[in-house]
Amino acid sequence: MLAYLPSALSLLVLLALWVVVLRADHRGSLKLEFRAPRRQARPPVVEPRPPRGTRGPMAWALVKWVLLAVLLAAATGCGLYWLLGRPALPVITAFTTAELLDLLKIGLAVVGGLGGVVALAVGYRKQQLSEAAHVIATRQEQRERTKFFNERYGQAAEQLGHDSFAVRLAGVYAMVGLADDWPEQRQICVDVLCGYLRTPYPAEDRTEREVRQEIINTLLDRVWERGWDSETVRMDFRGVEFEDLDLSNRVFQGNFTFDGATFHGARANFSNARFTGGISFRGARFTAAVTSFVEVSAKGATLDFSEAEFTGELLDFSTAELTRSTVDLTGAVVRGTTIRFYQVLVRVGTIALDAAELQRSTVDFSMVNLMKPRKRRDEWAAIGLRAVEAEDCVFRFGGSRFTEAEIRLADGRFTGCSVEADGVAASGLRVTAEGAEPAGFVEALRRMKNAGSPQAPGVPAEPQ
């Protein structure tokens, strides 16, 4: 056993050296993979990791691979020796000349094998260096791309702050074009344009309205035509002041926010628009003479006007179609304004004026058609007037048709208000009026339940 002690010690030394080599290489790779913390405001472009083992001299890499080959050879020899029952090894004088030549050939083969290991190590090292060079080139390209986009961003922002109308308009197109080309920072570009809209409105500069109108038009065009992801790109127009805004024939897909905005001028126009998501006007002020939502189409949408203020002449929803949608005027303040729902078609939806404050106004539901599909037994089309505080107002229902619909009046106060309900047709109409007053106003609405069965020529067929 003492004769094999040097070989065992050599094997242990080789194992220790290999462990040291692996740990050194691992530590080197840790240095390569270190990344600085990301900033929340502008996340950096994710860069590919360089391959492991590309740092350090070539000689060190060769030593590692040669040590690995020797270790594997020693382990193989020891294993065979053990499997053969540890036979006694002959002394060197017992070998013949032919056997010595055979041993020499074996030694030369081993040396050749080591040479092959060295060649493989060199080839593998070159491959690693080639991959590392590709990573460096890719990283440099990404840095140049980011630098180029940052330059475009700075130029567009500078144009938006220029005194000239033409330069500001060019800045709008430049910023939107940058948002097209830079998806990683698209939201920042959109936020800059929305922030521009929130700057004070210069009343003396009549060209400013065109710049602001073009910002909204281009943003909406990108959502619809370029396929911007409306779930992740937020259109935030909170607190913006609009004059004669024209968003007619637009598609609002996703969520749009006009909370706290002000609409003034002769007309705020959303006519013929299509809504398939949510649009919020919470707390907005509508002072424009006419606010038009004529012939809009809403499917699975919510038009939220809660706590908004209306002081213009007309808020018009005439001939709109609501399918599983809600027009929510909860808590709105309406003074001297006509709210017109003439010929509105509501399929399983709600027109809600709950808790609204109405003064000297007209709410016109003439020719409205509230209906629900036959197969939707648990869903109703409804008009909500619960907890309304109305004073000197007129509610018109002339020619309206109600099919399995509901009017909710609970806790409403209708002081000095009147009801016009000529030609109403109703089938399955429910009127809930607990706590509503005065009694005469409530009774006028209850009488609509006894109207004849609705026959609405020209109304689209019910969805099944």
Side-chain angles (χ1 to χ4, degrees):
M1 294 297 293
L2 294 177
Y4 305 112
L5 184 59
S7 299
L9 291 176
S10 300
L11 181 60
L12 291 175
V13 170
L14 289 174
L15 286 172
L17 287 174
W18 184 247
V19 170
V20 170
V21 168
L22 288 179
R23 295 189 64 182
D25 181 59
H26 182 61
R27 288 173 181 171
S29 66
L30 286 178
K31 293 180 181 178
L32 287 174
E33 294 175 358
F34 176 76
R35 294 183 179 183
R38 294 184 175 184
R39 297 180 180 178
Q40 295 297 327
R42 188 185 291 273
V45 178
V46 178
E47 298 178 349
R49 299 179 180 179
R52 294 178 56 181
T54 56
R55 297 181 63 179
M58 177 71 77
W60 182 240
L62 293 177
V63 169
K64 290 189 295 184
W65 286 103
V66 171
L67 286 176
L68 177 61
V70 172
L71 180 62
L72 291 176
T76 303
C78 291
L80 290 174
Y81 179 73
W82 184 269
L83 291 174
L84 293 175
R86 294 181 295 177
L89 297 177
V91 297
I92 191 170
T93 56
F95 290 102
T96 64
T97 302
E99 291 173 338
L100 289 175
L101 291 175
D102 291 336
L103 291 176
L104 180 60
K105 293 177 181 179
I106 293 174
L108 293 175
V110 171
V111 173
L114 291 175
V117 171
V118 171
L120 289 174
V122 171
Y124 180 66
R125 176 71 171 186
K126 288 182 178 180
Q127 178 65 26
Q128 286 185 312
L129 292 175
S130 176
E131 292 176 359
H134 175 71
V135 169
I136 293 173
T138 301
R139 181 182 299 176
Q140 183 63 27
E141 181 181 355
Q142 290 174 339
R143 288 176 178 172
E144 291 297 327
R145 177 175 178 268
T146 302
K147 180 181 177 181
F148 173 66
F149 284 149
N150 283 328
E151 291 175 352
R152 288 178 58 185
Y153 176 84
Q155 293 171 358
E158 185 176 355
Q159 288 177 314
L160 287 172
H162 202 274
D163 294 335
S164 170
F165 159 73
V167 176
R168 293 200 305 274
L169 194 61
V172 172
Y173 296 133
M175 189 64 73
V176 174
L178 178 60
D180 280 333
D181 299 335
W182 202 7
E184 298 88 353
Q185 303 298 338
R186 179 172 293 162
Q187 184 61 57
I188 290 180
C189 299
V190 172
D191 290 343
V192 168
L193 293 173
C194 293
Y196 179 89
L197 294 175
R198 280 188 284 272
T199 58
Y201 196 99
E204 67 281 359
D205 186 358
R206 305 308 300 172
T207 63
E208 181 64 17
R209 186 186 71 84
E210 298 182 31
V211 175
R212 297 177 179 237
Q213 179 71 50
E214 193 61 28
I215 288 176
I216 300 176
N217 288 341
T218 53
L219 290 179
L220 293 179
D221 288 342
R222 289 312 192 272
V223 171
W224 179 245
E225 297 175 3
R226 297 293 182 89
W228 283 10
D229 188 353
S230 58
E231 299 298 326
T232 58
V233 177
R234 302 179 304 277
M235 300 295 176
D236 187 355
F237 303 117
R238 290 179 294 180
V240 176
E241 185 177 353
F242 299 101
E243 181 181 8
D244 293 327
L245 179 66
D246 185 4
L247 295 181
S248 58
N249 301 295
R250 293 286 176 180
V251 176
F252 293 84
Q253 182 178 7
N255 296 312
F256 293 80
T257 302
F258 291 86
D259 295 351
T262 299
F263 301 85
H264 61 86
R267 187 181 186 89
N269 191 8
F270 293 84
S271 60
N272 294 288
R274 287 193 294 161
F275 300 94
T276 58
I279 183 168
S280 177
F281 297 92
R282 291 178 62 89
R285 295 178 65 248
F286 292 85
T287 63
V290 177
T291 299
S292 177
F293 287 84
V294 173
E295 293 188 22
V296 301
S297 173
K299 294 184 179 180
T302 298
L303 281 65
D304 187 359
F305 298 91
S306 57
E307 301 179 7
E309 182 179 354
F310 299 89
T311 57
E313 297 177 6
L314 177 64
L315 171 61
D316 197 355
F317 289 91
S318 295
T319 63
E321 292 190 16
L322 308 178
T323 303
R324 300 184 303 279
S325 299
T326 299
V327 176
D328 188 0
L329 290 153
T330 300
V333 177
V334 184
R335 296 188 179 95
T337 301
T338 296
I339 305 178
R340 182 182 295 164
F341 294 97
Y342 179 78
Q343 279 192 339
V344 169
L345 174 62
V346 182
R347 296 189 182 99
V348 188
T350 302
I351 300 173
L353 288 91
D354 300 327
E357 180 183 337
L358 309 175
Q359 296 179 1
R360 302 179 307 280
S361 300
T362 299
V363 183
D364 189 357
F365 293 104
S366 299
M367 303 296 293
V368 72
N369 189 353
L370 271 68
M371 58 189 296
K372 78 166 188 175
R374 297 187 182 92
K375 293 185 178 181
R376 296 181 179 269
R377 297 182 178 180
D378 298 330
E379 297 179 342
W380 291 74
I383 295 175
L385 298 170
R386 292 174 295 191
V388 165
E389 294 289 341
E391 181 179 352
D392 298 327
C393 296
V394 178
F395 291 82
R396 294 174 177 166
F397 292 89
S400 297
R401 285 158 172 75
F402 300 93
T403 306
E404 301 295 329
E406 183 177 11
I407 299 177
R408 302 162 182 165
L409 305 171
D411 300 318
R413 300 290 182 270
F414 302 90
T415 306
C417 297
S418 60
V419 176
E420 297 178 4
D422 296 334
V424 173
S427 173
L429 174 63
R430 298 192 302 184
V431 178
T432 57
E434 294 80 2
E437 57 182 35
F441 181 89
V442 175
E443 183 60 28
L445 290 180
R446 288 187 186 277
R447 283 197 294 268
M448 293 194 305
K449 296 195 301 182
N450 302 322
S453 178
Q455 298 293 331
V459 174
E462 301 177 0
Q464 299 297 318

PDB file of all heavy atoms in Angstrom, residues 97-130:
ATOM      1  N   THR A  97      12.350  -5.558 -25.331  1.00  0.00           N
ATOM      2  CA  THR A  97      12.492  -4.405 -26.208  1.00  0.00           C
ATOM      3  C   THR A  97      11.178  -4.084 -26.920  1.00  0.00           C
ATOM      4  O   THR A  97      10.786  -2.904 -27.057  1.00  0.00           O
ATOM      5  CB  THR A  97      13.591  -4.669 -27.248  1.00  0.00           C
ATOM      6  OG1 THR A  97      14.814  -4.958 -26.558  1.00  0.00           O
ATOM      7  CG2 THR A  97      13.801  -3.466 -28.143  1.00  0.00           C
ATOM      8  N   ALA A  98      10.471  -5.113 -27.397  1.00  0.00           N
ATOM      9  CA  ALA A  98       9.193  -4.884 -28.090  1.00  0.00           C
ATOM     10  C   ALA A  98       8.163  -4.243 -27.158  1.00  0.00           C
ATOM     11  O   ALA A  98       7.397  -3.341 -27.559  1.00  0.00           O
ATOM     12  CB  ALA A  98       8.650  -6.212 -28.628  1.00  0.00           C
ATOM     13  N   GLU A  99       8.162  -4.690 -25.878  1.00  0.00           N
ATOM     14  CA  GLU A  99       7.208  -4.119 -24.929  1.00  0.00           C
ATOM     15  C   GLU A  99       7.548  -2.675 -24.616  1.00  0.00           C
ATOM     16  O   GLU A  99       6.673  -1.821 -24.442  1.00  0.00           O
ATOM     17  CB  GLU A  99       7.187  -4.961 -23.651  1.00  0.00           C
ATOM     18  CG  GLU A  99       6.574  -6.346 -23.850  1.00  0.00           C
ATOM     19  CD  GLU A  99       6.723  -7.209 -22.598  1.00  0.00           C
ATOM     20  OE1 GLU A  99       7.629  -6.900 -21.793  1.00  0.00           O
ATOM     21  OE2 GLU A  99       5.946  -8.164 -22.440  1.00  0.00           O
ATOM     22  N   LEU A 100       8.888  -2.391 -24.569  1.00  0.00           N
ATOM     23  CA  LEU A 100       9.278  -1.001 -24.332  1.00  0.00           C
ATOM     24  C   LEU A 100       8.839  -0.103 -25.485  1.00  0.00           C
ATOM     25  O   LEU A 100       8.423   1.043 -25.292  1.00  0.00           O
ATOM     26  CB  LEU A 100      10.783  -0.914 -24.131  1.00  0.00           C
ATOM     27  CG  LEU A 100      11.319  -1.495 -22.809  1.00  0.00           C
ATOM     28  CD1 LEU A 100      12.842  -1.459 -22.791  1.00  0.00           C
ATOM     29  CD2 LEU A 100      10.775  -0.704 -21.631  1.00  0.00           C
ATOM     30  N   LEU A 101       8.966  -0.636 -26.722  1.00  0.00           N
ATOM     31  CA  LEU A 101       8.494   0.139 -27.870  1.00  0.00           C
ATOM     32  C   LEU A 101       6.985   0.383 -27.794  1.00  0.00           C
ATOM     33  O   LEU A 101       6.486   1.471 -28.129  1.00  0.00           O
ATOM     34  CB  LEU A 101       8.850  -0.583 -29.168  1.00  0.00           C
ATOM     35  CG  LEU A 101      10.352  -0.629 -29.517  1.00  0.00           C
ATOM     36  CD1 LEU A 101      10.589  -1.476 -30.762  1.00  0.00           C
ATOM     37  CD2 LEU A 101      10.884   0.786 -29.746  1.00  0.00           C
ATOM     38  N   ASP A 102       6.247  -0.640 -27.361  1.00  0.00           N
ATOM     39  CA  ASP A 102       4.792  -0.462 -27.211  1.00  0.00           C
ATOM     40  C   ASP A 102       4.481   0.605 -26.161  1.00  0.00           C
ATOM     41  O   ASP A 102       3.559   1.436 -26.334  1.00  0.00           O
ATOM     42  CB  ASP A 102       4.125  -1.779 -26.827  1.00  0.00           C
ATOM     43  CG  ASP A 102       4.159  -2.796 -27.959  1.00  0.00           C
ATOM     44  OD1 ASP A 102       4.263  -2.340 -29.131  1.00  0.00           O
ATOM     45  OD2 ASP A 102       4.063  -4.010 -27.693  1.00  0.00           O
ATOM     46  N   LEU A 103       5.254   0.576 -25.073  1.00  0.00           N
ATOM     47  CA  LEU A 103       5.035   1.598 -24.037  1.00  0.00           C
ATOM     48  C   LEU A 103       5.352   2.987 -24.570  1.00  0.00           C
ATOM     49  O   LEU A 103       4.678   3.976 -24.240  1.00  0.00           O
ATOM     50  CB  LEU A 103       5.888   1.284 -22.805  1.00  0.00           C
ATOM     51  CG  LEU A 103       5.469   0.054 -22.000  1.00  0.00           C
ATOM     52  CD1 LEU A 103       6.462  -0.196 -20.869  1.00  0.00           C
ATOM     53  CD2 LEU A 103       4.062   0.256 -21.404  1.00  0.00           C
ATOM     54  N   LEU A 104       6.397   3.067 -25.413  1.00  0.00           N
ATOM     55  CA  LEU A 104       6.742   4.348 -26.010  1.00  0.00           C
ATOM     56  C   LEU A 104       5.621   4.856 -26.905  1.00  0.00           C
ATOM     57  O   LEU A 104       5.284   6.050 -26.909  1.00  0.00           O
ATOM     58  CB  LEU A 104       8.030   4.213 -26.803  1.00  0.00           C
ATOM     59  CG  LEU A 104       8.547   5.488 -27.498  1.00  0.00           C
ATOM     60  CD1 LEU A 104       8.808   6.576 -26.459  1.00  0.00           C
ATOM     61  CD2 LEU A 104       9.806   5.175 -28.297  1.00  0.00           C
ATOM     62  N   LYS A 105       5.031   3.934 -27.702  1.00  0.00           N
ATOM     63  CA  LYS A 105       3.908   4.324 -28.548  1.00  0.00           C
ATOM     64  C   LYS A 105       2.727   4.848 -27.710  1.00  0.00           C
ATOM     65  O   LYS A 105       2.069   5.837 -28.059  1.00  0.00           O
ATOM     66  CB  LYS A 105       3.449   3.145 -29.401  1.00  0.00           C
ATOM     67  CG  LYS A 105       4.473   2.723 -30.443  1.00  0.00           C
ATOM     68  CD  LYS A 105       3.967   1.500 -31.214  1.00  0.00           C
ATOM     69  CE  LYS A 105       4.991   1.039 -32.260  1.00  0.00           C
ATOM     70  NZ  LYS A 105       4.529  -0.165 -32.991  1.00  0.00           N
ATOM     71  N   ILE A 106       2.495   4.169 -26.579  1.00  0.00           N
ATOM     72  CA  ILE A 106       1.395   4.606 -25.698  1.00  0.00           C
ATOM     73  C   ILE A 106       1.679   6.010 -25.158  1.00  0.00           C
ATOM     74  O   ILE A 106       0.810   6.876 -25.099  1.00  0.00           O
ATOM     75  CB  ILE A 106       1.187   3.600 -24.560  1.00  0.00           C
ATOM     76  CG1 ILE A 106       0.676   2.266 -25.123  1.00  0.00           C
ATOM     77  CG2 ILE A 106       0.210   4.156 -23.524  1.00  0.00           C
ATOM     78  CD1 ILE A 106       0.587   1.151 -24.087  1.00  0.00           C
ATOM     79  N   GLY A 107       2.939   6.231 -24.775  1.00  0.00           N
ATOM     80  CA  GLY A 107       3.311   7.555 -24.273  1.00  0.00           C
ATOM     81  C   GLY A 107       3.144   8.631 -25.321  1.00  0.00           C
ATOM     82  O   GLY A 107       2.649   9.735 -25.033  1.00  0.00           O
ATOM     83  N   LEU A 108       3.600   8.285 -26.570  1.00  0.00           N
ATOM     84  CA  LEU A 108       3.412   9.266 -27.641  1.00  0.00           C
ATOM     85  C   LEU A 108       1.925   9.541 -27.909  1.00  0.00           C
ATOM     86  O   LEU A 108       1.536  10.673 -28.212  1.00  0.00           O
ATOM     87  CB  LEU A 108       4.094   8.768 -28.912  1.00  0.00           C
ATOM     88  CG  LEU A 108       5.631   8.701 -28.858  1.00  0.00           C
ATOM     89  CD1 LEU A 108       6.182   8.080 -30.131  1.00  0.00           C
ATOM     90  CD2 LEU A 108       6.218  10.098 -28.650  1.00  0.00           C
ATOM     91  N   ALA A 109       1.096   8.506 -27.816  1.00  0.00           N
ATOM     92  CA  ALA A 109      -0.347   8.693 -27.997  1.00  0.00           C
ATOM     93  C   ALA A 109      -0.926   9.596 -26.920  1.00  0.00           C
ATOM     94  O   ALA A 109      -1.791  10.448 -27.194  1.00  0.00           O
ATOM     95  CB  ALA A 109      -1.064   7.342 -27.999  1.00  0.00           C
ATOM     96  N   VAL A 110      -0.426   9.409 -25.690  1.00  0.00           N
ATOM     97  CA  VAL A 110      -0.900  10.272 -24.604  1.00  0.00           C
ATOM     98  C   VAL A 110      -0.508  11.726 -24.863  1.00  0.00           C
ATOM     99  O   VAL A 110      -1.292  12.653 -24.677  1.00  0.00           O
ATOM    100  CB  VAL A 110      -0.340   9.775 -23.258  1.00  0.00           C
ATOM    101  CG1 VAL A 110      -0.639  10.788 -22.150  1.00  0.00           C
ATOM    102  CG2 VAL A 110      -0.931   8.424 -22.904  1.00  0.00           C
ATOM    103  N   VAL A 111       0.764  11.903 -25.317  1.00  0.00           N
ATOM    104  CA  VAL A 111       1.211  13.262 -25.626  1.00  0.00           C
ATOM    105  C   VAL A 111       0.361  13.861 -26.747  1.00  0.00           C
ATOM    106  O   VAL A 111      -0.017  15.038 -26.724  1.00  0.00           O
ATOM    107  CB  VAL A 111       2.703  13.252 -25.999  1.00  0.00           C
ATOM    108  CG1 VAL A 111       3.145  14.626 -26.500  1.00  0.00           C
ATOM    109  CG2 VAL A 111       3.549  12.840 -24.812  1.00  0.00           C
ATOM    110  N   GLY A 112       0.065  13.033 -27.786  1.00  0.00           N
ATOM    111  CA  GLY A 112      -0.798  13.513 -28.852  1.00  0.00           C
ATOM    112  C   GLY A 112      -2.185  13.881 -28.344  1.00  0.00           C
ATOM    113  O   GLY A 112      -2.790  14.860 -28.800  1.00  0.00           O
ATOM    114  N   GLY A 113      -2.673  13.062 -27.415  1.00  0.00           N
ATOM    115  CA  GLY A 113      -3.980  13.388 -26.833  1.00  0.00           C
ATOM    116  C   GLY A 113      -3.953  14.712 -26.102  1.00  0.00           C
ATOM    117  O   GLY A 113      -4.897  15.513 -26.204  1.00  0.00           O
ATOM    118  N   LEU A 114      -2.843  14.952 -25.363  1.00  0.00           N
ATOM    119  CA  LEU A 114      -2.723  16.240 -24.685  1.00  0.00           C
ATOM    120  C   LEU A 114      -2.673  17.392 -25.689  1.00  0.00           C
ATOM    121  O   LEU A 114      -3.229  18.464 -25.465  1.00  0.00           O
ATOM    122  CB  LEU A 114      -1.488  16.249 -23.787  1.00  0.00           C
ATOM    123  CG  LEU A 114      -1.551  15.333 -22.555  1.00  0.00           C
ATOM    124  CD1 LEU A 114      -0.219  15.357 -21.821  1.00  0.00           C
ATOM    125  CD2 LEU A 114      -2.685  15.752 -21.628  1.00  0.00           C
ATOM    126  N   GLY A 115      -1.964  17.125 -26.826  1.00  0.00           N
ATOM    127  CA  GLY A 115      -1.939  18.151 -27.876  1.00  0.00           C
ATOM    128  C   GLY A 115      -3.332  18.427 -28.422  1.00  0.00           C
ATOM    129  O   GLY A 115      -3.686  19.578 -28.719  1.00  0.00           O
ATOM    130  N   GLY A 116      -4.115  17.349 -28.579  1.00  0.00           N
ATOM    131  CA  GLY A 116      -5.493  17.545 -29.034  1.00  0.00           C
ATOM    132  C   GLY A 116      -6.318  18.353 -28.033  1.00  0.00           C
ATOM    133  O   GLY A 116      -7.137  19.189 -28.417  1.00  0.00           O
ATOM    134  N   VAL A 117      -6.068  18.074 -26.746  1.00  0.00           N
ATOM    135  CA  VAL A 117      -6.762  18.843 -25.718  1.00  0.00           C
ATOM    136  C   VAL A 117      -6.402  20.328 -25.831  1.00  0.00           C
ATOM    137  O   VAL A 117      -7.261  21.211 -25.727  1.00  0.00           O
ATOM    138  CB  VAL A 117      -6.417  18.296 -24.322  1.00  0.00           C
ATOM    139  CG1 VAL A 117      -6.948  19.232 -23.235  1.00  0.00           C
ATOM    140  CG2 VAL A 117      -7.007  16.908 -24.140  1.00  0.00           C
ATOM    141  N   VAL A 118      -5.097  20.590 -26.051  1.00  0.00           N
ATOM    142  CA  VAL A 118      -4.662  21.981 -26.192  1.00  0.00           C
ATOM    143  C   VAL A 118      -5.345  22.628 -27.405  1.00  0.00           C
ATOM    144  O   VAL A 118      -5.814  23.773 -27.344  1.00  0.00           O
ATOM    145  CB  VAL A 118      -3.133  22.047 -26.325  1.00  0.00           C
ATOM    146  CG1 VAL A 118      -2.686  23.461 -26.695  1.00  0.00           C
ATOM    147  CG2 VAL A 118      -2.461  21.602 -25.029  1.00  0.00           C
ATOM    148  N   ALA A 119      -5.417  21.892 -28.535  1.00  0.00           N
ATOM    149  CA  ALA A 119      -6.067  22.444 -29.722  1.00  0.00           C
ATOM    150  C   ALA A 119      -7.546  22.732 -29.474  1.00  0.00           C
ATOM    151  O   ALA A 119      -8.074  23.777 -29.884  1.00  0.00           O
ATOM    152  CB  ALA A 119      -5.907  21.482 -30.902  1.00  0.00           C
ATOM    153  N   LEU A 120      -8.212  21.805 -28.790  1.00  0.00           N
ATOM    154  CA  LEU A 120      -9.614  22.035 -28.467  1.00  0.00           C
ATOM    155  C   LEU A 120      -9.782  23.242 -27.554  1.00  0.00           C
ATOM    156  O   LEU A 120     -10.710  24.049 -27.711  1.00  0.00           O
ATOM    157  CB  LEU A 120     -10.214  20.789 -27.809  1.00  0.00           C
ATOM    158  CG  LEU A 120     -10.423  19.577 -28.725  1.00  0.00           C
ATOM    159  CD1 LEU A 120     -10.885  18.377 -27.909  1.00  0.00           C
ATOM    160  CD2 LEU A 120     -11.452  19.910 -29.810  1.00  0.00           C
ATOM    161  N   ALA A 121      -8.860  23.368 -26.577  1.00  0.00           N
ATOM    162  CA  ALA A 121      -8.945  24.496 -25.655  1.00  0.00           C
ATOM    163  C   ALA A 121      -8.765  25.809 -26.397  1.00  0.00           C
ATOM    164  O   ALA A 121      -9.477  26.791 -26.151  1.00  0.00           O
ATOM    165  CB  ALA A 121      -7.896  24.355 -24.553  1.00  0.00           C
ATOM    166  N   VAL A 122      -7.804  25.848 -27.334  1.00  0.00           N
ATOM    167  CA  VAL A 122      -7.575  27.070 -28.100  1.00  0.00           C
ATOM    168  C   VAL A 122      -8.805  27.406 -28.957  1.00  0.00           C
ATOM    169  O   VAL A 122      -9.243  28.564 -29.033  1.00  0.00           O
ATOM    170  CB  VAL A 122      -6.316  26.925 -28.972  1.00  0.00           C
ATOM    171  CG1 VAL A 122      -6.187  28.099 -29.930  1.00  0.00           C
ATOM    172  CG2 VAL A 122      -5.070  26.817 -28.097  1.00  0.00           C
ATOM    173  N   GLY A 123      -9.376  26.382 -29.614  1.00  0.00           N
ATOM    174  CA  GLY A 123     -10.558  26.626 -30.434  1.00  0.00           C
ATOM    175  C   GLY A 123     -11.744  27.113 -29.614  1.00  0.00           C
ATOM    176  O   GLY A 123     -12.462  28.035 -30.019  1.00  0.00           O
ATOM    177  N   TYR A 124     -11.944  26.488 -28.443  1.00  0.00           N
ATOM    178  CA  TYR A 124     -13.038  26.895 -27.582  1.00  0.00           C
ATOM    179  C   TYR A 124     -12.839  28.319 -27.086  1.00  0.00           C
ATOM    180  O   TYR A 124     -13.774  29.114 -27.014  1.00  0.00           O
ATOM    181  CB  TYR A 124     -13.151  25.935 -26.404  1.00  0.00           C
ATOM    182  CG  TYR A 124     -14.262  26.271 -25.440  1.00  0.00           C
ATOM    183  CD1 TYR A 124     -15.597  26.195 -25.822  1.00  0.00           C
ATOM    184  CD2 TYR A 124     -13.981  26.684 -24.143  1.00  0.00           C
ATOM    185  CE1 TYR A 124     -16.620  26.511 -24.946  1.00  0.00           C
ATOM    186  CE2 TYR A 124     -14.984  26.999 -23.258  1.00  0.00           C
ATOM    187  CZ  TYR A 124     -16.310  26.913 -23.660  1.00  0.00           C
ATOM    188  OH  TYR A 124     -17.309  27.232 -22.787  1.00  0.00           O
ATOM    189  N   ARG A 125     -11.577  28.638 -26.759  1.00  0.00           N
ATOM    190  CA  ARG A 125     -11.265  29.995 -26.303  1.00  0.00           C
ATOM    191  C   ARG A 125     -11.551  31.025 -27.401  1.00  0.00           C
ATOM    192  O   ARG A 125     -12.118  32.095 -27.141  1.00  0.00           O
ATOM    193  CB  ARG A 125      -9.787  30.052 -25.904  1.00  0.00           C
ATOM    194  CG  ARG A 125      -9.293  31.417 -25.491  1.00  0.00           C
ATOM    195  CD  ARG A 125      -9.843  31.845 -24.161  1.00  0.00           C
ATOM    196  NE  ARG A 125      -9.209  33.052 -23.678  1.00  0.00           N
ATOM    197  CZ  ARG A 125      -9.417  33.593 -22.493  1.00  0.00           C
ATOM    198  NH1 ARG A 125     -10.257  33.009 -21.665  1.00  0.00           N
ATOM    199  NH2 ARG A 125      -8.788  34.698 -22.134  1.00  0.00           N
ATOM    200  N   LYS A 126     -11.179  30.697 -28.638  1.00  0.00           N
ATOM    201  CA  LYS A 126     -11.459  31.615 -29.747  1.00  0.00           C
ATOM    202  C   LYS A 126     -12.964  31.815 -29.921  1.00  0.00           C
ATOM    203  O   LYS A 126     -13.430  32.929 -30.210  1.00  0.00           O
ATOM    204  CB  LYS A 126     -10.843  31.071 -31.031  1.00  0.00           C
ATOM    205  CG  LYS A 126      -9.314  31.158 -31.076  1.00  0.00           C
ATOM    206  CD  LYS A 126      -8.783  30.642 -32.402  1.00  0.00           C
ATOM    207  CE  LYS A 126      -7.259  30.773 -32.475  1.00  0.00           C
ATOM    208  NZ  LYS A 126      -6.724  30.270 -33.763  1.00  0.00           N
ATOM    209  N   GLN A 127     -13.731  30.725 -29.774  1.00  0.00           N
ATOM    210  CA  GLN A 127     -15.179  30.842 -29.892  1.00  0.00           C
ATOM    211  C   GLN A 127     -15.749  31.761 -28.813  1.00  0.00           C
ATOM    212  O   GLN A 127     -16.614  32.598 -29.068  1.00  0.00           O
ATOM    213  CB  GLN A 127     -15.826  29.450 -29.798  1.00  0.00           C
ATOM    214  CG  GLN A 127     -17.346  29.454 -29.852  1.00  0.00           C
ATOM    215  CD  GLN A 127     -17.876  29.944 -31.176  1.00  0.00           C
ATOM    216  OE1 GLN A 127     -17.206  29.842 -32.190  1.00  0.00           O
ATOM    217  NE2 GLN A 127     -19.089  30.508 -31.164  1.00  0.00           N
ATOM    218  N   GLN A 128     -15.229  31.617 -27.574  1.00  0.00           N
ATOM    219  CA  GLN A 128     -15.685  32.490 -26.500  1.00  0.00           C
ATOM    220  C   GLN A 128     -15.353  33.953 -26.783  1.00  0.00           C
ATOM    221  O   GLN A 128     -16.168  34.852 -26.554  1.00  0.00           O
ATOM    222  CB  GLN A 128     -15.050  32.060 -25.173  1.00  0.00           C
ATOM    223  CG  GLN A 128     -15.649  30.785 -24.586  1.00  0.00           C
ATOM    224  CD  GLN A 128     -15.065  30.473 -23.218  1.00  0.00           C
ATOM    225  OE1 GLN A 128     -13.841  30.506 -23.051  1.00  0.00           O
ATOM    226  NE2 GLN A 128     -15.922  30.192 -22.255  1.00  0.00           N
ATOM    227  N   LEU A 129     -14.137  34.172 -27.276  1.00  0.00           N
ATOM    228  CA  LEU A 129     -13.736  35.542 -27.579  1.00  0.00           C
ATOM    229  C   LEU A 129     -14.586  36.127 -28.704  1.00  0.00           C
ATOM    230  O   LEU A 129     -14.924  37.316 -28.690  1.00  0.00           O
ATOM    231  CB  LEU A 129     -12.249  35.579 -27.959  1.00  0.00           C
ATOM    232  CG  LEU A 129     -11.262  35.263 -26.817  1.00  0.00           C
ATOM    233  CD1 LEU A 129      -9.839  35.218 -27.344  1.00  0.00           C
ATOM    234  CD2 LEU A 129     -11.386  36.295 -25.705  1.00  0.00           C
ATOM    235  N   SER A 130     -14.942  35.284 -29.693  1.00  0.00           N
ATOM    236  CA  SER A 130     -15.803  35.754 -30.777  1.00  0.00           C
ATOM    237  C   SER A 130     -17.188  36.136 -30.258  1.00  0.00           C
ATOM    238  O   SER A 130     -17.752  37.169 -30.647  1.00  0.00           O
ATOM    239  CB  SER A 130     -15.913  34.671 -31.856  1.00  0.00           C
ATOM    240  OG  SER A 130     -16.810  35.055 -32.871  1.00  0.00           O
TER     241      SER A 130
END
